[in-house]
Amino acid sequence: MIKNGTFDINIIRKFYESFPTKVEEAKQILKRPLTLSEKILYAHLSTEEPLKDYIRATDYVNFSPDRVAMQDATAQMALLQLMNSGRTKVAVPSTVHCDHLIQAYKSAKEDLNTAEITNKEVYDFLSAVSNKFGIGFWKPGAGIIHQVVLENYAFPGGMMIGTDSHTPNAGGLGMIAIGVGGADAVDVMAGMPWELKMPKIIGVKLTGKLSGWASPKDVILKLAGILTVKGGTNAIIEYFGEGTNSLSATGKATICNMGAEVGATTSIFPYDKKSSDYLKATERADVAELADKIIECLQPDKETVNNPKEYFDQVIEINLSALEPYVNGPFTPDAAHPISEFAKIVKEKGYPQQMEVGLIGSCTNSSYEDMSRAASIVADAKNKNIKVKAQFIINPGSEQVRYTAERDGILPIFEEVGATIMANACGPCIGQWKRGSDNPERPNSIVTSFNRNFAKRNDGNPNTHAFVTSPEIVAALSIAGDLCFNPMTDMLINEKGEKIKLKEPEGYELPPKGYDMEDSGYIAPITDGSGIEIKIAPDSQRLQELKPFPKWDGKDIIAQPLLIKVKGKCTTDHISMAGPWLRFRGHLDNISDNMLIGAVNAFNDETNSVLDPETGQYTGIPKLARKFKAEGLGSIVVAEENYGEGSSREHAAMEPRFLNVKAILVKSFARIHETNLKKQGMLALTFVNKDDYDKIQENDKISILGLTDFKPGKNLTIELTHKDGSKESFEVAHTYNEIQIEWFKAGSALNYMKE
């Protein structure tokens, strides 16, 4: 077991020594009290960045994060780029976590064995590159990246970036933790400043205290309904108020984790006794001791709490005492329904009422507290002779959680009622689930403790209605097998024909006997990895060396065909699906065959079906893009709001770049995806007038004019040439600053860095 202070303690001690001075300097320059987010941001300004009052949502700022974390799916592309960076060792502590490539099918042991065989080439590559560059490596089965980070690396007041959109999980311990693409991670690992638009700050005041069936998950489920999937874009959600003190550290992490679903840059809670308790329970008493000495720096200034409207860009208040459980979905995480209204909605909308599978786990809800509270409900049902009617699947968050929950009799409670304990991995949450349905398009309902519920995400079935809720409600609905069951008010009939009410959940925030495990799954890098040679087989179907993207040719983009005009929601799952495609995350050519195959064509309402202007026939999107590329043509993608919502996966930006797409023109972007496009040398453009989206026709040739004078704040011009020869034009906007324009000209940020 990893012991006290093994990771980063010297870095943390050094940071805490300078943190109070940096906070005081920022307050003097800004001439006002600071929110917690501002304290951490200003304390992490890059050395060459002047200390001044940066304009939120406008100014680009360079930061120096303390560490980098990568999961195995995104790490492949990040490390392939790192190999091209010219570095010999990472500049900041970094880790790789093998959690995405394990498919949930039979059981933890069998699935892990299968994964180690199936993914051996990739695991060997990740392990070797980690050793070469001084990166910590967490083996398959060690746990889900964000739970492992919370247990080992997250520290109050720190700043980290991670190649996964749910990196903000670490905000539960008072850390600014931000999801990014692999190119951003390479910048930080290579010792370069990391650029971010100074975020707005949304203040969420929590009052009261949770009770009964309500859980921390319900805070973010309710907030998702208030903010919608893009309401947090370019903003940090900072929680404050006396209500924060009553929430466990892992509960706070759950809330921060799912802030990604409203587009937030990150989310954060202040440091308090619960944070200290968790640090001590996870053998980091030295960190807690250091944090306790500077606690004022790890909490917002009192003036910002007492008069929040003056210091936050938006203020939302949630009374925990009045909060009831929520069930969100289907198909979008912001369709928020209080459980008291959910049955009515299920019937009105005609959702399949039978609840077929309950899934507990994911990086959002797989802590010891989650497991113990859900298990208490299952145990109560068993004691009252009520059988579990739905299939039940459990994914513990880490080996530490799994081992401790096994030792304390929590996992056996689930197994006694027929639940399957899967590997400590992401599994069904990211589509790594071999469900084994007889009809892959049959309408059905599942309920999960996950974070996302886009169509096809969990099992590939477009008609699986996935609902997101707390582990407690997953357990209750699994027992009932009925979406319309409300455990707060409804009775169940047991095997004796008696009417029974389930007891309210009970559990432990931290294990009473402490955490334990036999093998954490961590492998430290060797001291000198310079002698390690990384070899990729030329005929490998899993890995492919990256070749630099070509530089801009110095000209405007003239008369390029439309590839697709996307209708409606277009997340990174639509642009570059996960599930079975995860196996190609290290092979850009192979994975490009999934580019935009989930996007709906506005002209025929079909997926992966676009017009080939030469033949007049409809064909697949990657196939047409490859045809254009072979003919020396580029193409243009047009889409609607919040394009690139969801995962941080930069493959959704690299695939279009690889297939010679010249620009993505949309009504609005999700933050991470817009940055990923810029990093890869792509043009990310937005309509000035959103109605201009309607002007684009299926056979259009599209020109982008003004690139020869590409400047920050200066609009470009789109010129459409329609099939009949007529033309029309309109302005489009961009958010490129001077350095990002240099990335575009160089062909990518990595090209620019090497230059």
Side-chain angles (χ1 to χ4, degrees):
M1 183 171 178
I2 291 157
K3 293 298 179 188
N4 193 5
T6 298
F7 299 121
D8 297 351
I9 190 61
N10 292 329
I11 292 172
I12 295 168
R13 184 177 287 112
K14 187 178 176 184
F15 171 71
Y16 281 170
E17 285 171 358
S18 64
F19 192 26
T21 303
K22 289 180 176 179
V23 169
E24 192 53 41
E25 287 173 351
K27 287 166 77 168
Q28 294 297 324
I29 295 291
L30 274 59
K31 296 182 171 60
R32 58 177 167 80
L34 301 180
T35 66
L36 174 58
S37 303
E38 289 175 310
K39 290 179 181 183
I40 301 173
L41 290 169
Y42 280 96
H44 284 87
L45 291 177
S46 188
T47 49
E48 79 286 354
E49 202 75 352
L51 179 54
K52 66 176 191 177
D53 196 354
Y54 290 98
I55 302 169
R56 296 176 189 171
T58 299
D59 289 343
Y60 284 94
V61 188
N62 285 319
F63 294 99
S64 295
D66 299 304
R67 69 162 33 254
V68 173
M70 298 164 279
Q71 39 93 337
D72 51 354
T74 51
Q76 294 172 63
M77 202 56 74
L79 296 184
L80 286 164
Q81 291 174 86
L82 179 65
M83 288 164 61
N84 285 344
S85 70
R87 289 287 301 193
T88 56
K89 196 167 181 118
V90 290
V92 301
S94 305
T95 50
V96 167
H97 303 258
C98 296
D99 62 358
H100 271 56
L101 300 178
I102 303 166
Q103 186 182 56
Y105 178 39
K106 292 181 178 177
S107 67
K109 187 177 180 182
E110 288 181 88
D111 294 347
L112 190 56
N113 288 340
T114 300
E116 286 172 338
I117 295 166
T118 306
N119 303 310
K120 186 179 187 304
E121 181 185 12
V122 172
Y123 292 149
D124 287 350
F125 167 77
L126 294 175
S127 176
V129 179
S130 295
N131 237 348
K132 184 174 182 66
F133 287 93
I135 297 168
F137 183 75
W138 291 81
K139 295 187 296 185
I144 303 173
I145 175 172
H146 309 303
Q147 182 66 27
V148 172
V149 165
L150 195 73
E151 292 172 358
N152 296 280
Y153 300 114
F155 69 93
M159 178 187 240
M160 69 174 284
I161 61 170
T163 59
D164 189 281
S165 57
H166 294 102
T167 300
N169 192 78
L173 271 180
M175 191 176 206
I176 291 279
I178 300 174
V180 299
D184 279 355
V186 171
D187 279 354
V188 176
M189 290 190 290
M192 304 275 287
W194 174 64
E195 184 187 69
L196 178 73
K197 187 180 283 187
M198 183 59 84
K200 294 181 291 183
I201 305 176
I202 297 171
V204 178
K205 182 178 182 180
L206 300 181
T207 62
K209 189 175 181 180
L210 293 171
S211 62
W213 285 87
S215 75
K217 182 70 163 281
D218 299 308
V219 174
I220 187 60
L221 293 175
K222 179 182 175 69
L223 190 63
I226 295 169
L227 287 173
T228 76
V229 288
K230 65 173 190 170
T233 304
N234 290 323
I236 291 175
I237 300 173
E238 181 173 324
Y239 294 86
F240 66 95
E242 72 273 14
T244 63
N245 299 327
S246 65
L247 300 172
S248 67
T250 52
K252 289 169 183 166
T254 289
I255 294 168
C256 291
N257 176 295
M258 208 179 147
E261 272 49 72
V262 297
T265 301
T266 193
S267 301
I268 192 166
F269 275 85
Y271 177 75
D272 58 18
K273 186 178 183 302
K274 298 281 191 182
S275 319
S276 177
D277 290 345
Y278 185 76
L279 285 169
K280 291 169 183 172
T282 51
E283 307 231 346
R284 290 174 288 169
D286 45 5
V287 177
E289 187 179 329
L290 291 169
D292 288 341
K293 291 176 182 175
I294 57 162
I295 192 165
E296 296 84 3
C297 295
L298 301 172
Q299 296 178 343
D301 286 336
K302 285 186 172 60
E303 297 92 333
T304 67
V305 171
N306 295 336
N307 192 9
K309 289 185 179 175
E310 191 173 326
Y311 300 101
F312 293 94
D313 296 282
Q314 181 182 353
V315 178
I316 296 165
E317 188 166 332
I318 295 176
N319 180 358
L320 301 179
S321 300
L323 188 64
E324 66 173 293
Y326 271 71
V327 184
N328 287 23
F331 308 129
T332 185
D334 60 347
H337 314 294
I339 198 160
S340 59
E341 300 173 14
F342 187 51
K344 180 169 171 262
I345 289 158
V346 168
K347 288 171 180 171
E348 283 178 356
K349 300 279 189 182
Y351 300 146
Q353 187 174 332
Q354 182 187 353
M355 206 284 263
E356 298 192 16
V357 192
L359 302 110
I360 292 176
S362 85
C363 61
T364 314
N365 276 115
S366 55
S367 67
Y368 185 90
E369 180 182 22
D370 292 326
M371 297 290 169
S372 66
R373 281 174 62 85
S376 77
I377 300 163
V378 175
D380 181 53
K382 184 171 182 286
N383 290 339
K384 291 172 178 173
N385 298 305
I386 303 170
K387 284 197 169 178
V388 176
K389 292 190 172 61
Q391 184 185 355
F392 214 178
I393 294 174
I394 313 292
N395 282 82
S398 69
E399 178 56 17
Q400 182 165 264
V401 168
R402 187 211 66 78
Y403 187 94
T404 308
E406 177 78 30
R407 178 202 70 190
D408 293 350
I410 290 172
L411 295 186
I413 290 171
F414 292 117
E415 291 175 307
E416 284 165 11
V417 298
T420 303
I421 310 298
M422 295 294 188
N424 313 321
C426 301
C429 181
I430 57 161
Q432 285 284 54
W433 181 22
K434 191 172 180 180
R435 188 173 173 187
S437 173
D438 53 341
N439 179 355
E441 297 205 352
R442 178 177 62 81
N444 71 100
S445 291
I446 66 173
V447 180
T448 82
S449 71
F450 305 162
N451 41 49
R452 293 196 177 128
N453 54 358
F454 305 140
K456 299 167 103 172
R457 180 174 173 89
N458 302 123
D459 61 1
N461 180 350
N463 296 311
T464 291
H465 295 59
F467 297 91
V468 175
T469 187
S470 67
E472 294 90 331
I473 298 299
V474 173
L477 294 181
S478 298
I479 291 162
D482 183 355
L483 281 188
C484 293
F485 175 66
N486 179 354
M488 296 171 68
T489 57
D490 298 347
M491 311 284 273
L492 292 169
I493 307 295
N494 72 3
E495 291 179 288
K496 297 178 181 177
E498 301 165 329
K499 284 188 175 182
I500 298 294
K501 197 162 188 282
L502 293 175
K503 269 173 58 178
E504 290 178 351
E506 297 174 338
Y508 297 97
E509 292 181 7
L510 299 167
K513 293 189 283 185
Y515 287 108
D516 200 5
M517 61 182 157
E518 291 177 345
D519 177 11
S520 70
Y522 175 70
I523 302 174
I526 58 175
T527 306
D528 180 9
S530 58
I532 295 174
E533 189 177 353
I534 309 299
K535 292 183 178 179
I536 297 174
D539 60 348
S540 171
Q541 294 302 298
R542 297 290 300 269
L543 297 165
Q544 179 187 49
E545 288 186 22
L546 279 180
K547 293 180 181 175
F549 290 128
K551 291 184 177 183
W552 174 54
D553 64 6
K555 301 174 184 175
D556 285 342
I557 293 169
I558 304 296
Q560 300 296 293
L562 174 72
L563 181 62
I564 182 173
K565 178 178 174 179
V566 181
K567 176 182 177 181
K569 188 185 276 278
C570 193
T571 71
T572 48
D573 278 17
H574 295 82
I575 305 166
S576 176
M577 289 181 179
W581 291 94
L582 281 169
R583 67 188 186 277
F584 296 133
R585 284 282 179 87
H587 197 296
L588 185 54
D589 195 352
N590 282 350
I591 201 168
S592 292
D593 282 334
N594 80 0
M595 185 186 75
L596 285 160
I597 61 174
V600 176
N601 183 354
F603 298 109
N604 62 6
D605 285 333
E606 293 182 13
T607 57
N608 201 26
S609 175
V610 287
L611 183 70
D612 181 337
E614 182 184 25
T615 65
Q617 303 295 310
Y618 283 90
T619 187
I621 296 170
K623 184 178 179 183
L624 183 60
R626 288 184 187 276
K627 178 181 177 181
F628 287 151
K629 181 180 178 180
E631 294 171 352
L633 288 170
S635 57
I636 311 293
V637 171
V638 175
E640 298 202 66
E641 299 282 6
N642 209 30
Y643 182 85
E645 169 194 342
S647 169
S648 69
R649 69 191 67 145
E650 66 185 340
H651 301 76
M654 296 184 82
E655 292 171 34
R657 183 75 171 96
F658 179 73
L659 294 183
N660 212 26
V661 174
K662 298 296 185 185
I664 312 289
L665 171 59
V666 303
K667 294 181 180 179
S668 66
F669 283 105
R671 175 194 63 86
I672 299 177
H673 189 66
E674 183 179 20
T675 301
N676 286 346
L677 289 168
K678 292 176 180 181
K679 286 275 181 176
Q680 301 303 334
M682 289 282 294
L683 276 177
L685 307 174
T686 54
F687 292 100
V688 172
N689 178 357
K690 293 181 181 182
D691 292 339
D692 288 336
Y693 168 90
D694 299 323
K695 294 177 180 175
I696 292 162
Q697 299 175 18
E698 196 167 23
N699 271 291
D700 280 352
K701 294 286 191 290
I702 302 172
S703 299
I704 303 172
L705 311 177
L707 285 174
T708 52
D709 191 29
F710 195 9
K711 291 178 182 173
K714 185 177 181 183
N715 289 347
L716 301 173
T717 299
I718 294 286
E719 182 182 82
L720 305 176
T721 302
H722 299 310
K723 189 177 181 182
D724 62 5
S726 64
K727 295 187 177 185
E728 56 185 319
S729 60
F730 50 84
E731 286 193 358
V732 291
H734 66 84
T735 61
Y736 287 74
N737 60 23
E738 289 178 1
I739 194 81
Q740 292 168 345
I741 289 171
E742 292 303 317
W743 298 345
F744 169 74
K745 290 178 178 177
S748 72
L750 189 59
N751 289 357
Y752 178 75
M753 182 171 75
K754 288 176 74 176
E755 285 176 5

